[in-house]
Amino acid sequence: MSAPTMQTVMDLIDGRTDELVALAQDLIRFPTINPPGEAYRPCAEYIGERLKKRGFTVEYVRGEGSPGDSDQYPRTNVIARWTGSEPGPCVHFNSHIDVVEVGAGWTVDPFGGEVKDSRVYGRGACDMKGGLAASIIAVEALIDSGLPLPGALEISGTVDEESGGYGGVAYLAERGWFSEPKVNHVIIPEPLNVDRVCIGHRGVWWAEIETKGRIAHGSMPFLGDSAIRHMGAVMEEFESKLYPAMAARHSDMPVVPEGARQSTMNINSIHGGQAEGFDGLPAPCVADSSRMIIDRRFLIEETLEDVKGEVKAILDGLAAQRHGFRYEMRDLFQVAPSMADRDGPVASTTAAAIETVLGRKAQFVCSPGTYDQKHVDRIGKLKDCIAYGPGVLDLAHQPDEWVGIDDMTNSAKVMARAAYDLLTRKRG
Ligand SMILES: [Zn+2]
């Protein structure tokens, strides 16, 4: 028998396509819907039991006291570690096990794991149980190949990514699970397409802006002060000043799609005056309050302070010029942008593995929205983290979500190669 090589690993992965599909199907069949956080524990235990049999040390960590955690809906995370023959670095594959609600428009059973036209269908197939299955097959093939492996390989299945990751990666990162020296390189198999390395994401700031008015009879609006007209003035300033300023800012972040390569702001909602949802006739009143929720996405070149300051300056400007203008602004949520070095170990090694496996150059991208990399970066202080996985980004959260079987196999090969290179590379 000849000594094992990387080809041995590739052949093992090719020979395990059925197993990879079955694993993805099994994972999809756990309806891990978030909110509220269904079936987290059985799904985490399924992963843990499988890896325990392969010699992994398995730990379950409940995100106790995190948002949504209860005995009915425990935030159960699983972390499995396999230790190699000699000391060395640790490569960690982190996948979230939660999925978003099903929504309308499905033609297949969302939790059936149906296979059709070389695809596996189901909620979470693409985002991201296909990626989780591929990373497990990749790591198992590396171990089974008999290639000498220094260091350690870790696989985690974590919860609540879709609702911010506070009971999942954030909780674990606060307790040292995503920091050196325990972990050195992290790959998150989110669905960013099989030939792209995602090095980071933009920042987020959500805020509520409220303009104040004074109630009066609607037939004599001059006796009151309309909060809705004040909000209209805010909108005008946004249109004439803020949107053009944001559009003029361009980023070095390779965000996809192209339209997200600048600062953006969505006005998530706007309300004023009487509450909606009442079928009868309204009473004639001048609105004394109007509220707007903004979703501002910002670039690595901007600071959160500047982003907030820019909006505040517009509101303060109105307060100085416009008679009766009063406002309040409340922060709802914020995430700093994150970007790994594309020449760093995990990004460059994964890009090289893509080129070898697929025969084409890898593309470096950033995600328009955020994912758990933020917690690995900010809380774990671990910069060498990327997202790489099978699945077409645009299919995430859609009805009839699917993941391609070839993409899962190819990404498993890329992950195995990248992990091996990271474990055995010479350190400077
Ligand atoms: Zn995801």
Side-chain angles (χ1 to χ4, degrees), residues 390-423:
V392 179
L393 178 61
D394 305 13
L395 295 174
H397 303 193
Q398 299 256 359
D400 284 353
E401 181 182 340
W402 54 267
V403 63
I405 294 172
D406 284 350
D407 282 357
M408 281 200 292
T409 302
N410 282 328
S411 72
K413 290 180 180 176
V414 170
M415 290 183 216
R417 277 188 182 273
Y420 182 75
D421 290 347
L422 287 165
L423 292 181

mmCIF file of all heavy atoms in Angstrom, residues 390-423:
data_model
loop_
_atom_site.group_PDB
_atom_site.id
_atom_site.type_symbol
_atom_site.label_atom_id
_atom_site.label_comp_id
_atom_site.label_asym_id
_atom_site.label_seq_id
_atom_site.Cartn_x
_atom_site.Cartn_y
_atom_site.Cartn_z
ATOM 1 N N PRO A 390 -20.696 26.015 -0.127
ATOM 2 C CA PRO A 390 -21.501 25.792 -1.333
ATOM 3 C C PRO A 390 -22.814 26.551 -1.189
ATOM 4 O O PRO A 390 -23.133 27.069 -0.134
ATOM 5 C CB PRO A 390 -21.757 24.288 -1.292
ATOM 6 C CG PRO A 390 -21.806 23.962 0.172
ATOM 7 C CD PRO A 390 -20.828 24.905 0.839
ATOM 8 N N GLY A 391 -23.597 26.556 -2.230
ATOM 9 C CA GLY A 391 -24.900 27.213 -2.140
ATOM 10 C C GLY A 391 -24.829 28.569 -2.805
ATOM 11 O O GLY A 391 -23.827 29.271 -2.710
ATOM 12 N N VAL A 392 -25.905 28.907 -3.477
ATOM 13 C CA VAL A 392 -25.994 30.162 -4.212
ATOM 14 C C VAL A 392 -26.598 31.194 -3.266
ATOM 15 O O VAL A 392 -27.698 30.994 -2.755
ATOM 16 C CB VAL A 392 -26.868 29.973 -5.471
ATOM 17 C CG1 VAL A 392 -27.016 31.267 -6.245
ATOM 18 C CG2 VAL A 392 -26.286 28.867 -6.355
ATOM 19 N N LEU A 393 -25.847 32.271 -3.042
ATOM 20 C CA LEU A 393 -26.247 33.282 -2.051
ATOM 21 C C LEU A 393 -27.693 33.745 -2.229
ATOM 22 O O LEU A 393 -28.441 33.883 -1.272
ATOM 23 C CB LEU A 393 -25.276 34.468 -2.126
ATOM 24 C CG LEU A 393 -25.546 35.659 -1.212
ATOM 25 C CD1 LEU A 393 -25.494 35.274 0.250
ATOM 26 C CD2 LEU A 393 -24.542 36.778 -1.491
ATOM 27 N N ASP A 394 -28.097 33.963 -3.483
ATOM 28 C CA ASP A 394 -29.428 34.524 -3.754
ATOM 29 C C ASP A 394 -30.567 33.599 -3.315
ATOM 30 O O ASP A 394 -31.706 34.039 -3.185
ATOM 31 C CB ASP A 394 -29.604 34.811 -5.256
ATOM 32 C CG ASP A 394 -28.501 35.707 -5.799
ATOM 33 O OD1 ASP A 394 -27.492 35.894 -5.086
ATOM 34 O OD2 ASP A 394 -28.637 36.201 -6.926
ATOM 35 N N LEU A 395 -30.274 32.311 -3.112
ATOM 36 C CA LEU A 395 -31.342 31.368 -2.747
ATOM 37 C C LEU A 395 -31.633 31.354 -1.254
ATOM 38 O O LEU A 395 -32.650 30.813 -0.813
ATOM 39 C CB LEU A 395 -30.952 29.940 -3.164
ATOM 40 C CG LEU A 395 -30.819 29.682 -4.659
ATOM 41 C CD1 LEU A 395 -30.281 28.280 -4.897
ATOM 42 C CD2 LEU A 395 -32.171 29.831 -5.341
ATOM 43 N N ALA A 396 -30.731 31.933 -0.472
ATOM 44 C CA ALA A 396 -30.909 31.927 0.977
ATOM 45 C C ALA A 396 -32.240 32.575 1.339
ATOM 46 O O ALA A 396 -32.616 33.615 0.772
ATOM 47 C CB ALA A 396 -29.757 32.667 1.645
ATOM 48 N N HIS A 397 -32.966 31.968 2.242
ATOM 49 C CA HIS A 397 -34.238 32.465 2.781
ATOM 50 C C HIS A 397 -35.387 32.442 1.771
ATOM 51 O O HIS A 397 -36.468 32.936 2.054
ATOM 52 C CB HIS A 397 -34.099 33.883 3.377
ATOM 53 C CG HIS A 397 -33.070 33.985 4.461
ATOM 54 N ND1 HIS A 397 -32.972 35.078 5.295
ATOM 55 C CD2 HIS A 397 -32.104 33.131 4.875
ATOM 56 C CE1 HIS A 397 -31.976 34.896 6.145
ATOM 57 N NE2 HIS A 397 -31.424 33.720 5.915
ATOM 58 N N GLN A 398 -35.173 31.893 0.565
ATOM 59 C CA GLN A 398 -36.218 31.851 -0.469
ATOM 60 C C GLN A 398 -37.051 30.569 -0.342
ATOM 61 O O GLN A 398 -36.607 29.608 0.263
ATOM 62 C CB GLN A 398 -35.547 31.844 -1.852
ATOM 63 C CG GLN A 398 -34.707 33.057 -2.140
ATOM 64 C CD GLN A 398 -35.387 34.023 -3.081
ATOM 65 O OE1 GLN A 398 -36.493 33.779 -3.540
ATOM 66 N NE2 GLN A 398 -34.737 35.126 -3.351
ATOM 67 N N PRO A 399 -38.254 30.547 -0.959
ATOM 68 C CA PRO A 399 -38.968 29.269 -1.062
ATOM 69 C C PRO A 399 -38.217 28.324 -2.012
ATOM 70 O O PRO A 399 -37.473 28.792 -2.878
ATOM 71 C CB PRO A 399 -40.330 29.651 -1.635
ATOM 72 C CG PRO A 399 -40.165 31.003 -2.231
ATOM 73 C CD PRO A 399 -39.012 31.664 -1.539
ATOM 74 N N ASP A 400 -38.419 27.025 -1.841
ATOM 75 C CA ASP A 400 -37.735 26.012 -2.661
ATOM 76 C C ASP A 400 -36.213 26.196 -2.661
ATOM 77 O O ASP A 400 -35.550 26.029 -3.689
ATOM 78 C CB ASP A 400 -38.264 25.986 -4.100
ATOM 79 C CG ASP A 400 -39.625 25.306 -4.201
ATOM 80 O OD1 ASP A 400 -40.088 24.735 -3.189
ATOM 81 O OD2 ASP A 400 -40.228 25.347 -5.297
ATOM 82 N N GLU A 401 -35.700 26.538 -1.497
ATOM 83 C CA GLU A 401 -34.245 26.676 -1.327
ATOM 84 C C GLU A 401 -33.576 25.325 -1.620
ATOM 85 O O GLU A 401 -34.085 24.277 -1.257
ATOM 86 C CB GLU A 401 -34.025 27.083 0.140
ATOM 87 C CG GLU A 401 -32.600 27.302 0.542
ATOM 88 C CD GLU A 401 -32.493 27.649 2.055
ATOM 89 O OE1 GLU A 401 -33.491 28.082 2.672
ATOM 90 O OE2 GLU A 401 -31.392 27.452 2.597
ATOM 91 N N TRP A 402 -32.421 25.352 -2.285
ATOM 92 C CA TRP A 402 -31.712 24.102 -2.575
ATOM 93 C C TRP A 402 -30.206 24.315 -2.539
ATOM 94 O O TRP A 402 -29.723 25.450 -2.582
ATOM 95 C CB TRP A 402 -32.115 23.524 -3.934
ATOM 96 C CG TRP A 402 -31.987 24.467 -5.103
ATOM 97 C CD1 TRP A 402 -32.965 25.278 -5.606
ATOM 98 C CD2 TRP A 402 -30.811 24.720 -5.909
ATOM 99 N NE1 TRP A 402 -32.477 26.012 -6.673
ATOM 100 C CE2 TRP A 402 -31.166 25.673 -6.892
ATOM 101 C CE3 TRP A 402 -29.503 24.215 -5.915
ATOM 102 C CZ2 TRP A 402 -30.262 26.156 -7.853
ATOM 103 C CZ3 TRP A 402 -28.600 24.688 -6.871
ATOM 104 C CH2 TRP A 402 -28.986 25.649 -7.829
ATOM 105 N N VAL A 403 -29.493 23.185 -2.490
ATOM 106 C CA VAL A 403 -28.039 23.226 -2.635
ATOM 107 C C VAL A 403 -27.667 22.161 -3.657
ATOM 108 O O VAL A 403 -28.235 21.065 -3.670
ATOM 109 C CB VAL A 403 -27.330 23.014 -1.274
ATOM 110 C CG1 VAL A 403 -27.622 21.644 -0.676
ATOM 111 C CG2 VAL A 403 -25.823 23.240 -1.385
ATOM 112 N N GLY A 404 -26.738 22.491 -4.550
ATOM 113 C CA GLY A 404 -26.308 21.557 -5.593
ATOM 114 C C GLY A 404 -25.386 20.488 -5.003
ATOM 115 O O GLY A 404 -24.519 20.791 -4.189
ATOM 116 N N ILE A 405 -25.598 19.238 -5.422
ATOM 117 C CA ILE A 405 -24.776 18.138 -4.892
ATOM 118 C C ILE A 405 -23.323 18.291 -5.350
ATOM 119 O O ILE A 405 -22.391 18.114 -4.565
ATOM 120 C CB ILE A 405 -25.388 16.782 -5.297
ATOM 121 C CG1 ILE A 405 -26.757 16.626 -4.603
ATOM 122 C CG2 ILE A 405 -24.458 15.621 -4.916
ATOM 123 C CD1 ILE A 405 -27.573 15.432 -5.057
ATOM 124 N N ASP A 406 -23.104 18.659 -6.608
ATOM 125 C CA ASP A 406 -21.731 18.876 -7.094
ATOM 126 C C ASP A 406 -21.039 19.998 -6.318
ATOM 127 O O ASP A 406 -19.860 19.911 -6.007
ATOM 128 C CB ASP A 406 -21.734 19.255 -8.585
ATOM 129 C CG ASP A 406 -21.984 18.047 -9.466
ATOM 130 O OD1 ASP A 406 -21.961 16.905 -8.939
ATOM 131 O OD2 ASP A 406 -22.221 18.241 -10.672
ATOM 132 N N ASP A 407 -21.796 21.036 -6.031
ATOM 133 C CA ASP A 407 -21.215 22.150 -5.267
ATOM 134 C C ASP A 407 -20.808 21.699 -3.867
ATOM 135 O O ASP A 407 -19.770 22.122 -3.349
ATOM 136 C CB ASP A 407 -22.210 23.312 -5.152
ATOM 137 C CG ASP A 407 -22.289 24.145 -6.423
ATOM 138 O OD1 ASP A 407 -21.525 23.856 -7.374
ATOM 139 O OD2 ASP A 407 -23.098 25.084 -6.464
ATOM 140 N N MET A 408 -21.636 20.850 -3.252
ATOM 141 C CA MET A 408 -21.281 20.349 -1.918
ATOM 142 C C MET A 408 -19.998 19.516 -1.991
ATOM 143 O O MET A 408 -19.101 19.664 -1.154
ATOM 144 C CB MET A 408 -22.423 19.501 -1.335
ATOM 145 C CG MET A 408 -23.567 20.316 -0.768
ATOM 146 S SD MET A 408 -24.584 19.360 0.384
ATOM 147 C CE MET A 408 -25.350 18.179 -0.711
ATOM 148 N N THR A 409 -19.911 18.636 -2.986
ATOM 149 C CA THR A 409 -18.721 17.788 -3.127
ATOM 150 C C THR A 409 -17.480 18.649 -3.388
ATOM 151 O O THR A 409 -16.441 18.473 -2.754
ATOM 152 C CB THR A 409 -18.924 16.790 -4.294
ATOM 153 O OG1 THR A 409 -20.080 16.030 -4.007
ATOM 154 C CG2 THR A 409 -17.726 15.865 -4.435
ATOM 155 N N ASN A 410 -17.612 19.594 -4.327
ATOM 156 C CA ASN A 410 -16.462 20.450 -4.641
ATOM 157 C C ASN A 410 -16.036 21.294 -3.445
ATOM 158 O O ASN A 410 -14.840 21.449 -3.182
ATOM 159 C CB ASN A 410 -16.784 21.353 -5.832
ATOM 160 C CG ASN A 410 -16.689 20.604 -7.143
ATOM 161 O OD1 ASN A 410 -15.870 19.682 -7.292
ATOM 162 N ND2 ASN A 410 -17.520 20.958 -8.104
ATOM 163 N N SER A 411 -17.008 21.817 -2.727
ATOM 164 C CA SER A 411 -16.624 22.647 -1.584
ATOM 165 C C SER A 411 -16.016 21.783 -0.480
ATOM 166 O O SER A 411 -15.112 22.231 0.222
ATOM 167 C CB SER A 411 -17.810 23.463 -1.068
ATOM 168 O OG SER A 411 -18.726 22.643 -0.408
ATOM 169 N N ALA A 412 -16.457 20.536 -0.342
ATOM 170 C CA ALA A 412 -15.831 19.638 0.646
ATOM 171 C C ALA A 412 -14.360 19.425 0.277
ATOM 172 O O ALA A 412 -13.479 19.417 1.149
ATOM 173 C CB ALA A 412 -16.577 18.307 0.704
ATOM 174 N N LYS A 413 -14.090 19.282 -1.013
ATOM 175 C CA LYS A 413 -12.694 19.110 -1.451
ATOM 176 C C LYS A 413 -11.871 20.361 -1.153
ATOM 177 O O LYS A 413 -10.729 20.273 -0.700
ATOM 178 C CB LYS A 413 -12.651 18.816 -2.957
ATOM 179 C CG LYS A 413 -13.184 17.445 -3.325
ATOM 180 C CD LYS A 413 -13.098 17.259 -4.836
ATOM 181 C CE LYS A 413 -13.632 15.896 -5.228
ATOM 182 N NZ LYS A 413 -13.646 15.732 -6.702
ATOM 183 N N VAL A 414 -12.461 21.524 -1.438
ATOM 184 C CA VAL A 414 -11.762 22.787 -1.162
ATOM 185 C C VAL A 414 -11.483 22.909 0.340
ATOM 186 O O VAL A 414 -10.365 23.255 0.757
ATOM 187 C CB VAL A 414 -12.588 23.995 -1.666
ATOM 188 C CG1 VAL A 414 -11.993 25.312 -1.168
ATOM 189 C CG2 VAL A 414 -12.685 23.990 -3.187
ATOM 190 N N MET A 415 -12.477 22.586 1.153
ATOM 191 C CA MET A 415 -12.308 22.711 2.610
ATOM 192 C C MET A 415 -11.226 21.744 3.114
ATOM 193 O O MET A 415 -10.415 22.107 3.970
ATOM 194 C CB MET A 415 -13.632 22.427 3.321
ATOM 195 C CG MET A 415 -14.684 23.509 3.097
ATOM 196 S SD MET A 415 -16.181 23.121 4.058
ATOM 197 C CE MET A 415 -17.451 23.692 2.957
ATOM 198 N N ALA A 416 -11.221 20.520 2.594
ATOM 199 C CA ALA A 416 -10.219 19.539 3.034
ATOM 200 C C ALA A 416 -8.812 20.009 2.664
ATOM 201 O O ALA A 416 -7.884 19.971 3.482
ATOM 202 C CB ALA A 416 -10.512 18.182 2.405
ATOM 203 N N ARG A 417 -8.642 20.480 1.431
ATOM 204 C CA ARG A 417 -7.332 20.973 0.996
ATOM 205 C C ARG A 417 -6.889 22.175 1.817
ATOM 206 O O ARG A 417 -5.746 22.267 2.245
ATOM 207 C CB ARG A 417 -7.391 21.417 -0.483
ATOM 208 C CG ARG A 417 -7.237 20.306 -1.454
ATOM 209 C CD ARG A 417 -7.113 20.843 -2.885
ATOM 210 N NE ARG A 417 -7.018 19.728 -3.797
ATOM 211 C CZ ARG A 417 -5.873 19.129 -4.123
ATOM 212 N NH1 ARG A 417 -4.727 19.568 -3.633
ATOM 213 N NH2 ARG A 417 -5.862 18.095 -4.932
ATOM 214 N N ALA A 418 -7.806 23.112 1.981
ATOM 215 C CA ALA A 418 -7.464 24.334 2.720
ATOM 216 C C ALA A 418 -7.082 23.980 4.154
ATOM 217 O O ALA A 418 -6.079 24.475 4.682
ATOM 218 C CB ALA A 418 -8.636 25.307 2.697
ATOM 219 N N ALA A 419 -7.851 23.096 4.785
ATOM 220 C CA ALA A 419 -7.557 22.726 6.177
ATOM 221 C C ALA A 419 -6.199 22.052 6.272
ATOM 222 O O ALA A 419 -5.399 22.362 7.171
ATOM 223 C CB ALA A 419 -8.654 21.805 6.710
ATOM 224 N N TYR A 420 -5.925 21.142 5.335
ATOM 225 C CA TYR A 420 -4.639 20.444 5.368
ATOM 226 C C TYR A 420 -3.483 21.435 5.207
ATOM 227 O O TYR A 420 -2.491 21.386 5.940
ATOM 228 C CB TYR A 420 -4.588 19.382 4.263
ATOM 229 C CG TYR A 420 -3.300 18.604 4.283
ATOM 230 C CD1 TYR A 420 -3.075 17.627 5.254
ATOM 231 C CD2 TYR A 420 -2.289 18.857 3.354
ATOM 232 C CE1 TYR A 420 -1.882 16.924 5.306
ATOM 233 C CE2 TYR A 420 -1.090 18.157 3.395
ATOM 234 C CZ TYR A 420 -0.886 17.190 4.371
ATOM 235 O OH TYR A 420 0.297 16.516 4.427
ATOM 236 N N ASP A 421 -3.630 22.342 4.253
ATOM 237 C CA ASP A 421 -2.567 23.334 4.025
ATOM 238 C C ASP A 421 -2.379 24.234 5.250
ATOM 239 O O ASP A 421 -1.255 24.613 5.579
ATOM 240 C CB ASP A 421 -2.874 24.183 2.785
ATOM 241 C CG ASP A 421 -2.751 23.362 1.500
ATOM 242 O OD1 ASP A 421 -2.194 22.234 1.567
ATOM 243 O OD2 ASP A 421 -3.219 23.831 0.447
ATOM 244 N N LEU A 422 -3.469 24.572 5.910
ATOM 245 C CA LEU A 422 -3.366 25.429 7.107
ATOM 246 C C LEU A 422 -2.693 24.673 8.265
ATOM 247 O O LEU A 422 -1.935 25.251 9.033
ATOM 248 C CB LEU A 422 -4.754 25.923 7.530
ATOM 249 C CG LEU A 422 -5.356 26.992 6.621
ATOM 250 C CD1 LEU A 422 -6.853 27.153 6.901
ATOM 251 C CD2 LEU A 422 -4.632 28.338 6.782
ATOM 252 N N LEU A 423 -2.978 23.380 8.366
ATOM 253 C CA LEU A 423 -2.371 22.594 9.446
ATOM 254 C C LEU A 423 -0.879 22.383 9.227
ATOM 255 O O LEU A 423 -0.117 22.288 10.192
ATOM 256 C CB LEU A 423 -3.052 21.220 9.569
ATOM 257 C CG LEU A 423 -4.498 21.184 10.063
ATOM 258 C CD1 LEU A 423 -4.991 19.751 10.146
ATOM 259 C CD2 LEU A 423 -4.635 21.869 11.424
#
